[in-house]
Amino acid sequence: MNIEAIDKEYVLHTYARNYVNFTHGHNTTLYDDTGQDYIDLTSGIGVVSVGHANPRLSQAICDQAKKIIHISNLFAIEPQALLAKRLVELSGYDMRIFFANSGAEANEGAIKIARKYGEVDGQIKRYKIVTLKHSFHGRTITALKATGQEAMHTYFGPFPDGFVYAEDIEQVPQLLDDHTVAVMIELIQGEGGVEPQDKEAVQRLAKILKERDILLIVDEVQTGIYRTGEPLASNLYEIEPDIITLAKGLGGGVPIGAVMTRLKDIFAPGDHGSTFGGNYLSTRAALEVLDILEEEKESGALDHRMIYFEERLKAIAAKFSNLFEKEVGLGLMRGLRAKEADIQNEIIKKAFEERVLVLKAGRNTVRFLPPLTITKEEIDEGLGRFERALETL
Ligand SMILES: *Cc1c(COP(=O)(O)O)cnc(C)c1O
């Protein structure tokens, strides 16, 4: 059976696909159909947070699938309620949660909350949302318009009104006016280049927004769920957002998104909803993911591997200073900034030949999003292969 031929014939060509055929995995290692091993420093773009084929997650999913996978949101769903409680407690924020199925959908929920917040006497009076130029917020029409990379808006219009793009965090205050209802940011732009925002600049912005009653939405689809070492990157930045969105790492690979807000009563029944969102399978999976990651954090193992990974990357940036300008990122969301734009594609290709998977970000960054359960041996093996790839350049 030729998967490549079938895929090309029947699946829409939205991805520049690599036709390796992975059949199974174990934590950070993937195996293809010829038995070759690969070290996965991408975790499926920040999704497989507890590794491939994590035995505890597999067991939890199997157990749940044998009981109930799905009913509708017209009935109480025990793991959904427990997951909401757990996320609120872990975050330390006094919030309520709505569950969706993806990052874009979580952001749609955030935008709907903001727009409803802008309503006075049945009319939307404040509707503008300021986002950043190099942001990424998803692929639905509205999330795409919220995404500040205008090259992505070439087709698909007309778009919803009301999105304004700031060059950077510092420029945001200049763009606020009487119609602004919210500002949406990533604390580390994942697709934009893995550059963490300056903590004090973010805190200053948060303060200005609070004074002007403008909502702060933090898109933590990529940075959330221990990716930076804390339950949320917002914890690390010591800010109190009004709305936070989550998705990628939360379900360990089972699709789930979430929007959490301190505006606990913003929605009434009928204002928002989802057929699949928060079902038994995805919320049971997410509860197990949180159990595993909380233990990793409590034991100190997560912090140790984050420090080790950073040290190794810094050493690589120094050793290959012909290629790289610096190492960037936080926790296990890391990047190597290349001196030359677009050389990242060559690096990713060479890395693949050495059987190590890495990602790109922006125009000149090689991005690393390994499973949060990566072992020291896997870090050594993966980055060892990566160095061998660099040596061929
Ligand atoms: C991946 C990502 C999204 C989109 O998530 P999907 O699940 O693909 O819809 C939104 N925001 C950020 C910051 C992301 O990294």
Side-chain angles (χ1 to χ4, degrees):
M1 193 172 50
N2 186 337
I3 297 296
E4 179 168 355
I6 299 170
D7 180 86
K8 283 185 168 152
E9 178 65 20
Y10 294 104
V11 179
L12 282 170
H13 296 186
T14 55
Y15 307 101
R17 271 201 170 124
N18 177 331
Y19 281 95
V20 58
N21 187 18
F22 294 120
T23 54
H24 60 292
H26 176 78
N27 204 31
T28 308
T29 309
L30 281 168
Y31 299 90
D32 71 12
D33 56 1
T34 68
Q36 295 256 57
D37 66 347
Y38 298 75
I39 305 296
D40 178 12
L41 302 181
T42 73
S43 61
I45 318 194
V47 168
V48 189
S49 49
V50 296
H52 294 287
N54 183 295
R56 284 174 61 180
L57 179 58
S58 307
Q59 190 66 54
I61 292 169
C62 289
D63 289 349
Q64 188 59 55
K66 286 179 193 161
K67 292 184 212 155
I68 304 177
I69 291 177
H70 180 92
I71 52 165
S72 74
N73 276 304
L74 300 176
F75 301 94
I77 298 169
E78 185 179 290
Q80 181 184 127
L82 295 177
L83 179 62
K85 178 172 187 283
R86 190 73 182 281
L87 282 169
V88 164
E89 286 169 358
L90 270 180
S91 74
Y93 301 127
D94 186 17
M95 291 183 167
R96 279 187 187 147
I97 303 190
F98 174 86
F99 290 102
N101 310 286
S102 67
E105 236 189 289
N107 286 335
E108 292 276 337
I111 292 163
K112 282 179 74 174
I113 290 171
R115 289 277 168 83
K116 190 163 181 203
Y117 189 70
E119 181 227 89
V120 181
D121 302 331
Q123 277 195 304
I124 305 290
K125 300 285 192 205
R126 293 196 296 151
Y127 62 93
K128 282 190 191 169
I129 298 176
V130 180
T131 69
L132 301 181
K133 278 263 161 75
H134 299 287
S135 58
F136 181 78
H137 298 297
R139 300 287 189 164
T140 58
I141 292 281
T142 308
L144 194 60
K145 189 61 178 168
T147 296
Q149 305 178 48
E150 299 202 57
M152 293 176 77
H153 305 156
T154 310
Y155 311 108
F156 317 121
F159 288 100
D161 284 338
F163 291 94
V164 180
Y165 312 118
E167 247 354 283
D168 52 31
I169 290 250
E170 309 282 351
Q171 205 206 11
V172 170
Q174 297 164 38
L175 299 179
L176 306 175
D177 64 27
D178 291 345
H179 297 292
T180 309
V181 74
V183 172
M184 176 146 99
I185 58 170
E186 297 154 87
L187 294 172
I188 312 172
Q189 291 181 336
E191 308 305 311
V194 206
E195 184 77 41
Q197 302 288 359
D198 178 67
K199 185 171 174 178
E200 278 165 25
V202 170
Q203 291 180 341
R204 266 198 308 278
L205 176 65
K207 188 159 170 282
I208 292 169
L209 298 182
K210 195 139 282 177
E211 283 162 10
R212 298 185 56 164
D213 186 32
I214 293 170
L215 301 176
L216 174 59
I217 305 172
V218 179
D219 179 345
E220 293 230 33
V221 167
Q222 196 161 146
T223 56
I225 315 299
Y226 293 100
R227 180 52 62 184
T228 66
E230 296 300 320
L232 302 177
S234 295
N235 300 132
L236 205 62
Y237 277 72
E238 299 178 278
I239 52 169
E240 295 196 353
D242 300 290
I243 303 171
I244 297 170
T245 56
L246 300 169
K248 290 194 165 82
L250 178 56
V254 180
I256 184 168
V259 51
M260 36 199 303
T261 181
R262 67 166 185 81
L263 303 169
K264 291 183 177 179
D265 297 308
I266 189 84
F267 283 150
D271 280 343
H272 196 40
S274 167
T275 297
F276 294 117
N279 81 10
Y280 278 83
L281 190 73
S282 62
T283 53
R284 180 66 193 86
L287 277 168
E288 194 65 31
V289 166
L290 292 180
D291 275 348
I292 296 166
L293 294 179
E294 214 181 333
E295 285 173 28
E296 296 285 319
K297 176 70 181 174
E298 295 297 310
S299 71
L302 181 64
D303 290 333
H304 276 124
R305 59 179 75 105
M306 286 183 167
I307 292 165
Y308 186 64
F309 199 86
E310 181 184 8
E311 278 171 3
R312 288 294 313 260
L313 274 192
K314 284 212 161 107
I316 291 173
K319 183 171 168 194
F320 295 90
S321 59
N322 57 322
L323 292 170
F324 300 114
E325 186 189 308
K326 59 176 177 177
E327 183 268 350
V328 289
L330 287 171
L332 283 174
M333 182 167 179
R334 294 271 165 195
L336 286 172
R337 180 90 74 252
K339 286 186 162 160
E340 214 180 302
D342 300 324
I343 190 163
Q344 52 174 20
N345 294 324
E346 189 65 17
I347 294 174
I348 291 165
K349 201 166 136 252
K350 293 285 186 201
F352 184 77
E353 286 166 18
E354 293 291 336
R355 303 200 315 281
V356 56
L357 311 184
V358 296
L359 293 161
K360 66 175 174 179
R363 286 207 58 209
N364 58 354
T365 306
V366 180
R367 180 170 41 147
F368 301 84
L369 291 171
L372 303 177
T373 50
I374 189 170
T375 64
K376 183 171 180 296
E377 292 69 31
E378 289 169 328
I379 295 174
D380 287 337
E381 182 62 31
L383 294 181
R385 291 183 190 193
F386 185 68
E387 284 194 52
R388 282 201 291 284
L390 297 177
E391 275 154 15
T392 68
L393 283 163

